[in-house]
């Protein structure tokens, strides 16, 4: 049990005495006028109807002007300050006519005051004695019979000072720019049972943090919570208006600002903000009203049959598309019955008008749920999806883009304005999503749909259905697609190109189906879901394989090939079905080319994937050799050759593991190059030659011969730019092998000796894979135009460009920019532009490799030329990603060097770096043990110090950032000293207040500055002289300290030297000292 202290008789008597004394003193005061009139500067403590407590205060406050020294509006949030005229008008009193307040004089008041002091001392003494006695009794009562302290009956509430302290800590963190830390402190304070008034303050402070972090939705929520607690909190109202303005909800933001102005009519900040937002609203209204007639005129021209094919009609369609790109313009078109008019344009069937209508619909639906649903309701989901299947490729691609925008709008929600108006229209977009996906699945198996349209449908499903991140626990959409549409996807994957009665497909359709199947399989979370996938695939294959004749067996084998290229686990299980491998072997001997093609392709994919089928590895070589030697068709021979290449490259880069006899791989590679260079063979067949080279180039001898064959390289690059997109992965793989940009670690010599002793296999590197040979191959690839080919590959809008393919391209780019002299060639051929999307999308490894390549280019070339226009701002995020601790030291160093270059270009780039939250990471690397990383971080911070936000961090109370720069200015590393001294010179020039803090951060500051001035390095001397000059100009006291030391002699010597920036700075220091009267010039005036 706990214990409670009870007041004794003595305390009761003393309390009664004090009460009587204060009652007498109160009654002695005049009561003819209110206390407020006698004390107009005091806003007394108040409580509102809800029990909220408002402490008193004196006017004026720090936020008030000197004239606002009188208390007004007692019932409004505890009071506010106003001028004397406002006070007299509010209380109907003339202060100058009031008698002065009564002053207690004479022996009576003095006697009362003395008695009050005696009683106060007695009360404090008695309370102390009683507390000590009660504490002793409580300690005895608080122990059990075994001597252990008993458990208190209830948790003792934390004192209010805990909340106050956390709030103060949060304020300090906010001032230092640590908004995340401040947010954490305010959140902890809210959890300690703060009073309603403190809760209001904490919520509005959290809103300020979210504003700084640019999370405007949360800023609005926190400010609203503060306003719920305190309806007249002007700061919370103002912060909510800022968040609403950023969210585009101007009509709501202006209401909050109007309330702010009504509460504080003389606040210029509120008045200026209200004027600005009113101007934005007026501009928006004016823009929308001016477009009324324009929209009507454009539709009249487009729907006028007399204007068919005219230039006027073309211009009207272009203007309509441009207008729809702006949200206000899109809203105007939508409200002007635009969707129905656009439907009429689609019904014309004219490609130009259909393109204009589709592109306009993209603007209307972009990031807007309600308009998207309304558009689908008017046009019909089936109608929109059916446009994908038209023969006109441009119209089909435009419809694909429109559907992608619709999917994004339904899944991601609205990011622009009109959000408040949409909540009542759309509750759950899941139904619209499933209707769209269902129609896409139906489109896959419709006869009459173009191959391009089928590919577009597969592309959309690849982008939309799987989860974006494994962290998302909801994969219900994937499960629904597997149940409803897996058979339709397998039907496309198992189709044979262009036979009569089959689905119309392109050369990329089956590969797209394989990628979709792979993504669906990877999105499954448990064995039960995967087993269901396997069961559906096996049932589909059996349905074609059994009882459907030869045509059914061909379709089943083609489906197996599709699965082997995608989810290979499902393909391997399908190979083990009864009769499948026997059919593959039998059809390889068929006289029909189409049957042989299907069988050989299945055998090739099985050779690379089927680890469990020992039959493939035991008998595959002889079978493929027989097909290669005796085949009459090049299409069959080249596929058999690829199968041999796969089996021959089983050892990878291990020189000691050879599957074929010496020279056999070179012969295979030579034949592959021959077929690759044969323009008479179609691109689909030549693709298989590239597949073979992708495997054979593991051999260094093959690499050397390949890069020497200029014709083969030229043919390879031309094929990569063709419409045969399924070749991209093979091209990227061959380039990775030629540049040795795959991951390779040198084996530990001790482990090698141990393996030899244990008679284990030890991998060996080919002599032609040494760095000198790799550099020579890279230069030959650059000369052949590899960068331009890879740039075209990156631009590919096809699902074949998977994240794995992107990673391979990133590896090649990093290998190409490894040497300093090669980087100019890469930039000239567009490599910088191609690296940006690779650094922003793909696997983690691929993004890191691309970001490192960007860093190398940014370090050694002019960033404004390498990344012209707005692209230079896109480079910042990939570079900042290299500062994370999971990256290597070399990547950290190169990122810091690149950011240093960017930070020195413009303030906008510095703001972009700050926005990506790079400053805390850069500061962390300033403490790195590795001297090169530490130096690079200091140089980067020196350039960032030109921004006011960074200057504020150095000026913040309690910050040690300035101390670190001063200490680094005295280090032995000359480059580190130069960077730190440059930062000091910059900061002391822009923030003179920092000059007075330099002597406080370390006792060695004078020695450090003297060492800078005495350095033989002119740059160090100049920077030191600038720092000293800034300190002398900032304060006469600091100047006096400097002149009393050896600094005077050093400056005198430097001022007599040759004309230079150092001499001029030293002379300026001495001139300022003369002006202060600290020194007297000599007779000759020097």
């Amino acid at each position: 049990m706990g214990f409670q202290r009870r007041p004794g008789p003595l305390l009761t008597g003393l309390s009664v005495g004090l009460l009587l004394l204060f009652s007498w003193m109160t009654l002695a005061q005049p009561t003819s006028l209110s206390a407020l009139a006698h004390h107009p500067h005091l806003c007394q403590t108040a409580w509102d109807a809800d029990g909220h407590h408002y402490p008193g205060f004196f006017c004026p406050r720090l936020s008030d002007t000197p004239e606002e020294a009188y208390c007004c509006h007692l019932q409004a949030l505890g009071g506010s300050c106003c001028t004397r005229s406002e006070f007299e008008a509010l209380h109907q009193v003339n202060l100058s006519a009031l008698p002065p307040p009564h002053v207690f004089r004479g022996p009576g008041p003095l006697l009362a005051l003395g008695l009050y002091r005696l009683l106060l001392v007695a009360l404090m003494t008695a309370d102390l004695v009683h507390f000590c006695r009660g504490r002793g009794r409580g300690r005895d009562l608080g122990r059990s019979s075994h001597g252990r302290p008993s458990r208190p009956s209830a948790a003792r509430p934390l004192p209010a000072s805990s909340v106050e302290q956390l709030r103060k800590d949060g304020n300090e963190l906010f001032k230092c720019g640590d908004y995340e830390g401040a947010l954490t402190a305010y959140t902890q304070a809210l959890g300690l049972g703060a009073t309603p008034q403190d809760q209001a303050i904490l919520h509005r402070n959290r809103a300020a943090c979210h504003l700084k972090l640019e999370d405007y939705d949360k800023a609005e929520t926190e400010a609203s919570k503060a306003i719920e607690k305190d309806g007249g909190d002007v700061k919370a109202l103002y912060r909510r208006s800022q968040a609403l303005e950023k969210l585009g909800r101007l009509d709501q933001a202006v209401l909050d600002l109007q309330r702010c102005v009504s509460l504080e009519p003389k606040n210029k900040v509120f008045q200026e903000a209200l004027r600005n937002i009113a101007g934005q609203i007026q501009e928006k209204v004016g823009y929308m009203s001016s477009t009324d007639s324009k929209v009507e005129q454009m539709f009249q021209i487009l729907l006028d049959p007399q204007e068919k094919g005219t230039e006027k009609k073309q211009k009207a369609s272009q203007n309509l598309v441009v207008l729809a790109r702006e949200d206000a313009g899109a809203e105007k078109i939508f409200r002007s019955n635009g969707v129905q008019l656009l439907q009429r344009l689609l019904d014309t069937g004219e490609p130009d008008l259909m393109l204009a209508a589709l592109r306009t619909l993209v603007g209307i639906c972009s990031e807007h749920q309600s308009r998207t649903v309304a558009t689908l309701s008017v046009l019909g989901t089936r109608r929109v999806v059916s446009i994908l299947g038209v023969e006109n490729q441009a119209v089909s691609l435009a419809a694909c883009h429109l559907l992608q925008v619709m999917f994004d709008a339904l899944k991601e929600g609205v990011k622009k304005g009109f959000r408040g108006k949409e909540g009542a229209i759309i509750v759950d977009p899941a139904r619209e999503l499933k209707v769209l996906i269902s129609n896409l699945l139906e489109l896959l198996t419709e006869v009459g749909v173009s191959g391009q349209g089928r590919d577009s449908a597969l592309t959309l499903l690849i982008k939309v259905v799987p989860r974006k991140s494994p962290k998302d626990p909801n994969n219900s959409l994937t499960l629904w697609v597997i149940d409803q549409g897996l058979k339709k996807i397998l039907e496309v994957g198992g189709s044979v190109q262009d036979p009569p009665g089959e689905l119309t497909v392109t050369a990329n359709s089956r590969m797209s189906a394989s990628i979709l199947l792979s993504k669906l399989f990877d999105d499954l979370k448990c064995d039960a879901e995967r087993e269901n996938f396997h069961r559906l695939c096996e049932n589909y294959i059996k349905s074609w394989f059994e009882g459907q004749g030869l045509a059914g067996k061909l379709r089943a084998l083609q489906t197996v090939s599709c699965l082997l290229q995608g989810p290979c686990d499902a393909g391997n299980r399908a190979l083990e079905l009864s009769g499948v491998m026997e059919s593959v072997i039998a059809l390889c001997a068929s006289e029909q080319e189409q049957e042989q093609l299907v069988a050989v392709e299945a055998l090739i994919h099985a050779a690379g994937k089927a680890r469990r089928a020992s039959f493939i590895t035991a008998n595959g070589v002889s079978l493929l050799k027989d097909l290669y030697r005796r085949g009459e068709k090049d299409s069959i021979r080249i596929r058999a050759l690829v199968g041999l290449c796969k089996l021959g490259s089983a050892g990878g880069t291990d020189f000691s593991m050879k599957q074929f006899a010496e020279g056999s791989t070179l012969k295979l590679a030579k034949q592959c190059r021959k077929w690759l260079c044969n323009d008479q063979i179609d691109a689909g067949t030549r693709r298989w030659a590239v597949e073979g080279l992708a495997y054979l180039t593991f051999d260094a001898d093959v690499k050397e011969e390949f890069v020497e064959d200029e014709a083969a390289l030229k043919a390879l690059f031309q094929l990569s730019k063709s419409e045969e997109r399924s070749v991209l992965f093979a091209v990227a793989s061959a380039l990775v092998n030629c540049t040795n940009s795959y991951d390779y670690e040198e084996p530990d010599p001790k482990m090698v000796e141990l393996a030899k002793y244990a008679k284990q296999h030890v991998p060996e590197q080919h002599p032609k894979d040494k760095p000198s040979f790799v550099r020579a191959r890279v230069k030959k690839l650059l000369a052949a135009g590899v960068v331009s080919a890879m740039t075209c590959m990156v631009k590919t809008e096809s699902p074949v460009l998977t994240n794995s393919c992107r990673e391979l391209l990133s590896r090649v780019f990093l290998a190409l920019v490894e040497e300093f002299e090669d980087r100019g060639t890469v930039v000239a051929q567009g490599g910088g532009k191609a690296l940006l999307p690779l650094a922003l999308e793909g696997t983690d490894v691929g993004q890191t490799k691309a970001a490192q390549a960007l860093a190398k280019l940014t370090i050694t070339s002019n960033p404004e030329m390498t990344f012209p226009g707005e692209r230079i701002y896109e480079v910042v995020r990939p570079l900042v990603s290299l500062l994370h601790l999971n990256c290597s030291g070399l990547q950290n160093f190169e990122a810091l060097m690149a950011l240093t270059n960017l930070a020195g270009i413009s303030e906008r780039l510095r703001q972009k770096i700050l926005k990506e939250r790079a400053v805390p990471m850069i500061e962390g690397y300033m403490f790195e043990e590795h001297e090169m990383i530490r130096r690079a971080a200091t140089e980067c911070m020196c350039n960032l110090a030109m921004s006011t936000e960074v200057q504020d961090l150095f000026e913040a109370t309690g910050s040690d950032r300035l101390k670190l720069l001063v200490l680094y200015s005295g280090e032995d590393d000359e480059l580190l000293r130069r960077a730190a001294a440059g930062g000091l010179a910059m900061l002391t020039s822009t923030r003179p207040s920092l000059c007075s803090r330099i002597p406080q951060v370390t006792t060695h500051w004078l020695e450090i500055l003297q060492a800078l001035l005495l350095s033989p390095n002119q740059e160090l001397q100049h920077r030191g002289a600038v720092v000293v000059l800034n300190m002398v100009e900032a304060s006469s006291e600091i100047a006096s300290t400097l002149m009393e030391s050896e600094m005077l002699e050093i400056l005198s010597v430097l001022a007599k030297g040759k004309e230079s920036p150092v001499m001029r700075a030293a002379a300026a220091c001495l001139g300022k000292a003369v002006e202060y009267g600290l020194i007297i010039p000599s007779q000759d005036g020097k």
Side-chain angles (χ1 to χ4, degrees):
M1 293 180 56
F3 66 90
Q4 294 180 343
R5 292 184 296 157
R6 298 179 180 177
L10 178 62
L11 295 180
T12 304
L14 289 173
S15 301
V16 172
L18 284 173
L19 179 64
L20 292 174
L21 175 63
F22 284 121
S23 301
W24 174 76
M25 292 177 66
T26 304
L27 293 173
Q29 294 186 23
T31 58
S32 57
L33 293 173
S34 68
L36 181 63
H38 279 286
H39 303 286
H41 306 292
L42 173 63
C43 280
Q44 300 180 3
T45 301
W47 288 265
D48 60 13
D50 298 328
H52 295 164
H53 172 258
Y54 303 103
F57 57 87
F58 281 92
C59 295
R61 298 167 295 182
L62 292 176
S63 59
D64 301 319
T65 61
E67 293 77 13
E68 296 174 334
Y70 297 85
C71 177
C72 294
H73 307 296
L74 278 175
Q75 302 306 319
L77 303 177
S80 62
C81 300
C82 61
T83 61
R84 176 169 177 168
S85 59
E86 293 174 339
F87 177 87
E88 292 178 341
L90 177 65
H91 297 285
Q92 301 296 317
V93 63
N94 185 2
L95 293 178
S96 59
L98 290 177
H102 180 73
V103 180
F104 293 107
R105 288 193 173 93
L110 292 177
L111 180 61
L113 182 60
L115 181 60
Y116 166 71
R117 290 179 177 176
L118 290 174
L119 288 173
L120 184 61
V121 172
L123 178 61
M124 293 175 64
T125 304
D127 187 61
L128 177 62
V129 172
H130 188 70
F131 171 75
C132 293
R133 290 179 178 176
R135 186 177 182 186
R137 289 195 300 270
R139 187 181 297 112
D140 294 336
L141 292 172
R143 297 185 179 273
S144 64
S145 60
H146 296 284
R148 291 175 298 182
S150 63
R151 184 175 300 175
S153 60
R156 188 174 298 175
L158 288 170
S161 59
S162 301
V163 176
E164 182 67 20
Q165 185 60 44
L166 282 170
R167 186 170 67 85
K168 290 181 179 179
D169 293 344
N171 294 343
E172 291 298 325
L173 291 169
F174 186 89
K175 291 177 183 177
C176 296
D178 186 1
Y179 306 121
E180 295 283 359
L183 197 60
T184 302
Y186 297 142
T187 304
Q188 292 176 351
L190 281 171
L192 296 179
T195 63
Q197 184 180 5
D198 286 337
Q199 289 179 20
I201 296 172
L202 291 169
H203 279 302
R204 81 184 184 200
N205 289 354
R206 281 169 56 85
C209 294
H210 286 305
L211 284 173
K212 289 293 186 180
L213 295 171
E214 299 184 3
D215 193 344
Y216 303 117
D217 285 316
K218 290 184 180 179
E220 179 209 354
T221 302
E222 292 295 332
S224 298
K225 289 179 180 178
I227 295 168
E228 288 176 6
K229 301 290 183 183
D230 188 350
D233 190 337
V234 290
K235 290 184 178 180
L237 286 167
Y238 179 61
R239 286 167 188 170
R240 187 169 74 173
S241 72
Q242 289 179 302
L244 291 169
E245 181 182 1
K246 293 294 185 181
L247 292 170
R249 294 151 65 184
L250 302 180
D251 51 345
Q252 298 176 32
V254 75
L255 294 177
D256 284 347
L257 281 174
Q258 287 173 349
R259 289 183 64 190
C260 291
V261 173
S262 66
L263 290 172
E264 294 190 10
K266 293 190 177 182
N267 193 307
K268 295 182 179 179
V269 175
F270 298 159
Q271 294 173 359
E272 183 65 26
L274 184 60
R275 280 195 295 269
N276 290 339
I277 203 167
Q280 294 181 43
I281 293 175
Q282 186 176 3
E283 182 181 351
K284 185 175 181 179
V285 171
Y287 175 78
M288 294 185 68
S289 61
S290 66
T291 57
D292 288 350
S293 58
K294 294 180 180 179
V295 172
E296 186 177 351
Q297 290 174 6
M298 283 185 280
F299 276 116
Q300 286 179 354
I301 294 172
L302 290 172
L303 295 172
D304 186 359
Q306 304 298 327
E307 296 287 349
K308 186 175 182 180
T310 63
E311 182 180 350
K312 191 175 181 181
K313 204 167 191 175
Q314 184 179 4
K315 187 175 181 181
S317 64
Q318 292 174 351
N319 291 338
L320 193 65
V321 174
V322 172
L323 181 63
R325 289 174 184 168
E326 295 291 335
D327 190 74
E331 182 70 11
K332 191 60 198 175
I333 295 173
F334 179 76
R335 293 179 180 274
S336 302
N337 202 29
V339 177
Q340 288 82 352
L341 296 173
L342 291 170
Q343 185 180 22
R344 292 173 57 186
L345 293 179
L346 291 173
D347 293 338
T348 61
E350 298 181 23
D352 291 340
L353 293 182
M354 292 181 71
L355 281 173
L358 291 170
R359 290 168 181 169
T360 305
L361 286 170
V362 167
I364 291 175
C365 299
S366 181
E367 298 180 346
H368 208 293
Q369 278 189 348
S370 63
R371 292 201 297 248
T372 299
V373 173
T375 301
L376 288 171
S377 177
V378 173
L379 299 179
T381 305
R382 186 63 187 163
R383 172 77 172 98
V384 177
V385 173
S386 65
I387 301 175
L388 275 177
V390 300
E391 292 294 337
N392 188 293
Q393 185 175 355
V395 175
S396 178
L397 290 174
C400 181
H401 185 205
L402 172 61
L403 287 169
Q404 179 67 60
V405 168
M406 288 180 166
F407 276 120
D408 291 341
L410 292 175
K411 291 188 76 172
E412 302 297 335
V414 180
K415 297 179 182 177
K416 295 185 179 179
F418 309 100
R419 193 181 76 173
K421 303 171 187 176
E422 300 198 12
I425 299 175
I426 300 212
V427 178
D428 183 10
R431 190 185 69 83
E432 286 78 7
L433 280 171
K434 286 190 175 180
V435 170
L436 269 176
I437 293 173
S438 178
N439 280 276
L440 286 175
L441 292 172
E442 292 293 335
L443 186 74
L444 291 179
T445 55
E446 278 189 13
V447 178
V449 174
S450 66
Q452 173 68 37
R454 222 177 300 276
D455 288 354
S456 297
L458 289 168
T459 302
L460 286 170
L461 291 171
I462 290 170
K463 292 180 179 179
V464 172
V465 176
R467 292 173 295 171
K468 298 295 183 184
S469 170
K471 296 179 181 178
D472 182 4
N474 185 11
N475 68 337
S476 59
L477 193 58
T478 296
L479 297 176
W480 182 80
V481 169
I482 290 173
D483 290 336
Q484 301 295 321
L486 182 61
K487 292 182 179 180
K488 296 181 175 64
I489 301 169
L490 290 172
E491 188 171 346
V492 177
S495 61
V496 183
Q497 191 172 357
D498 295 334
E502 290 284 346
L503 298 177
T504 305
V505 294
T506 67
N508 301 317
S509 299
R510 289 194 297 275
M511 180 60 73
S512 297
S514 297
I515 293 170
L516 176 57
L517 290 169
S518 178
K519 287 188 173 292
L520 292 176
F521 186 78
D522 292 341
D523 204 36
L524 301 178
K525 297 190 295 183
C526 62
D527 291 340
E529 294 175 354
R530 298 185 187 93
E531 189 61 34
N532 178 58
F533 186 93
H534 291 315
R535 179 179 56 80
L536 291 173
C537 291
E538 290 171 7
N539 290 341
Y540 178 82
I541 293 171
K542 288 178 181 178
S543 67
W544 282 103
F545 195 79
E546 300 170 358
Q548 296 289 337
L550 183 58
K553 285 184 171 58
L554 287 176
R555 178 175 283 277
L557 294 180
Q558 193 79 319
T559 305
V560 172
S561 294
C562 178
L563 289 172
L564 286 169
Q565 293 180 84
C568 55
D569 288 343
N572 285 334
R573 285 187 53 163
L575 279 174
E576 296 174 358
L577 294 175
S578 176
V580 172
M581 282 308 306
E582 290 78 359
S583 298
V584 170
I585 301 301
L587 289 174
C588 282
S590 173
E591 295 181 358
Q592 297 294 325
E593 181 181 3
Q594 189 65 46
E595 297 171 6
Q596 264 193 320
L597 286 174
V598 172
V600 172
E601 286 186 17
L603 187 62
I604 292 170
H605 297 310
K609 304 291 184 181
R611 299 301 180 192
R612 297 181 226 160
S614 58
F615 174 84
I616 300 294
T617 54
N619 304 290
V621 174
S622 58
L623 180 61
L624 291 171
K625 282 184 177 179
D626 187 63
L627 287 172
Y628 173 61
R629 291 171 180 171
R630 300 182 183 182
E632 297 179 359
K633 300 286 187 180
D634 283 343
S635 57
I636 304 297
R637 295 181 64 214
I638 195 171
R639 285 166 171 79
L641 177 60
V642 173
L644 291 172
C645 295
K646 280 190 174 184
L647 296 174
S649 61
T653 58
D654 187 356
F655 178 55
S656 62
M657 290 185 65
K658 294 292 182 181
Q659 301 295 318
F660 295 150
E662 188 69 30
S664 297
T665 54
L666 290 175
K667 292 178 181 179
L668 292 174
K670 185 176 180 180
Q671 186 61 45
C672 284
R673 297 201 308 272
K674 179 181 177 182
W675 272 320
L676 177 62
C677 297
N678 190 348
D679 296 335
Q680 305 301 319
I681 303 177
D682 63 280
T685 303
R686 292 164 65 200
R687 171 179 73 86
W688 290 99
V690 183
E691 290 274 357
L693 287 171
Y695 287 99
L696 292 175
T697 46
F698 281 117
D699 190 327
D701 291 320
V702 175
K703 300 177 192 178
E704 289 294 322
E705 287 193 0
F706 183 42
V707 296
E708 293 289 347
D709 192 339
E710 296 181 4
L713 289 177
K714 184 178 179 180
L716 178 73
F717 299 154
Q718 286 179 346
L719 190 61
S720 68
K721 300 175 185 178
S722 67
E723 295 182 0
E724 182 63 39
R725 296 306 181 192
S726 56
V727 76
L728 295 183
F729 190 85
V731 173
S733 299
L735 293 175
V736 166
N737 292 338
C738 289
T739 56
N740 282 33
S741 48
Y742 42 75
D743 292 329
Y744 175 77
E745 294 184 4
E746 288 286 344
D748 187 354
K750 293 182 179 179
M751 296 301 296
V752 171
E753 293 297 328
L754 184 62
K756 288 180 179 179
Y757 178 78
K759 297 183 180 180
Q760 297 293 321
H761 173 71
V762 179
E764 298 179 14
Q765 187 182 34
H766 197 289
K768 293 184 179 179
D769 275 334
K770 299 295 183 183
S772 58
F773 286 92
V774 176
R775 285 194 294 269
R777 290 200 293 266
V778 166
K779 292 186 180 299
K780 291 173 182 176
L781 288 172
L782 286 170
V786 65
V787 177
S788 60
M790 292 174 62
T791 302
C792 293
M793 293 168 66
V794 172
K795 293 178 181 178
T796 300
E797 294 289 341
S798 170
V800 178
L801 188 64
T802 60
N803 289 340
S804 299
C805 187
R806 290 174 179 273
E807 179 183 329
L808 295 179
L809 293 174
S810 299
R811 290 177 178 275
V812 177
F813 268 118
L814 182 58
L816 295 178
V817 300
E818 192 65 37
E819 296 296 321
F820 172 80
E821 58 270 16
D822 296 333
R823 295 172 190 173
T825 304
V826 174
V827 172
Q829 296 182 10
K833 179 181 178 181
L835 277 168
L836 286 173
L838 295 177
L840 298 173
E841 184 179 356
T843 64
D844 292 339
V845 174
Q847 292 183 45
T848 301
K849 299 286 185 184
Q852 189 176 3
L854 284 173
K856 290 178 182 292
L857 294 178
T858 308
I859 292 171
T860 56
S861 60
N862 184 352
E864 293 177 293
M865 296 180 63
T866 306
F867 313 103
E870 294 296 313
R871 290 196 192 98
I872 192 172
Y873 303 101
E874 299 177 24
V875 182
V876 175
R877 180 171 297 175
L879 294 180
V880 173
S881 69
L882 293 178
L883 297 179
H884 293 291
L885 296 177
N886 57 346
C887 296
S888 66
L890 176 62
Q891 291 168 343
N892 298 152
F893 172 74
E894 290 177 337
L896 289 168
M897 293 291 290
L899 289 171
T900 301
N901 285 355
L902 293 177
I905 293 176
S906 68
E907 178 61 24
R908 187 180 171 190
L909 274 170
R910 289 190 288 272
Q911 290 298 323
K912 179 67 175 175
I913 296 172
L914 294 175
K915 186 178 179 181
E916 295 295 334
R917 303 176 189 176
V919 171
M921 290 184 281
I922 295 171
E923 288 181 334
Y925 285 115
M926 291 177 69
F927 294 93
E928 180 68 33
E929 293 183 4
H930 197 288
E931 61 179 12
M932 295 182 68
I933 296 179
R934 184 170 66 246
R935 180 198 310 152
T938 307
E939 290 176 349
C940 188
M941 186 60 68
C942 174
N943 283 357
L944 288 174
M946 291 185 277
S947 293
T948 55
E949 288 84 351
V950 178
Q951 295 166 12
D952 292 338
L953 295 178
F954 277 90
E955 201 173 19
T957 305
S959 171
D960 288 334
R961 297 178 178 90
L962 183 65
K963 179 178 180 179
L964 185 63
L965 284 186
V966 174
L967 294 176
Y968 277 175
S969 298
E971 286 287 315
D972 295 333
D973 185 352
E974 187 172 294
L975 295 177
L976 178 61
R977 292 177 66 195
R978 185 179 65 180
L984 275 180
M986 174 66 65
L987 290 168
T988 53
S989 298
T990 55
R991 298 294 173 96
S993 60
L994 293 175
C995 296
S996 59
R997 291 174 55 182
I998 291 179
Q1000 302 171 9
V1001 297
T1002 176
T1003 57
H1004 302 287
W1005 66 278
L1006 200 54
E1007 300 171 11
I1008 293 172
L1009 292 179
Q1010 291 173 358
L1012 288 175
L1013 293 176
L1014 293 174
S1015 172
N1017 188 308
Q1018 289 290 322
E1019 289 189 29
L1020 282 177
Q1021 272 192 334
H1022 181 225
R1023 297 181 186 203
V1026 171
V1027 174
V1028 173
L1029 176 59
N1030 293 335
M1031 295 179 68
V1032 169
E1033 292 178 341
S1035 169
S1036 59
E1037 295 180 0
I1038 300 176
S1040 176
T1041 304
L1042 290 169
M1043 294 303 131
E1044 290 173 359
S1045 66
E1046 296 178 359
M1047 186 68 71
L1048 175 59
E1049 183 178 351
I1050 297 172
L1051 291 173
S1052 300
V1053 173
L1054 293 176
K1056 296 177 182 178
K1058 296 181 180 179
E1059 178 67 24
S1060 66
V1062 177
M1063 186 274 290
R1064 290 192 293 270
C1069 291
L1070 295 175
K1072 196 66 179 178
V1074 172
E1075 183 180 333
Y1076 288 147
L1078 300 175
I1079 60 175
I1080 301 174
S1082 58
Q1083 294 182 355
D1084 57 359
K1086 295 183 180 180

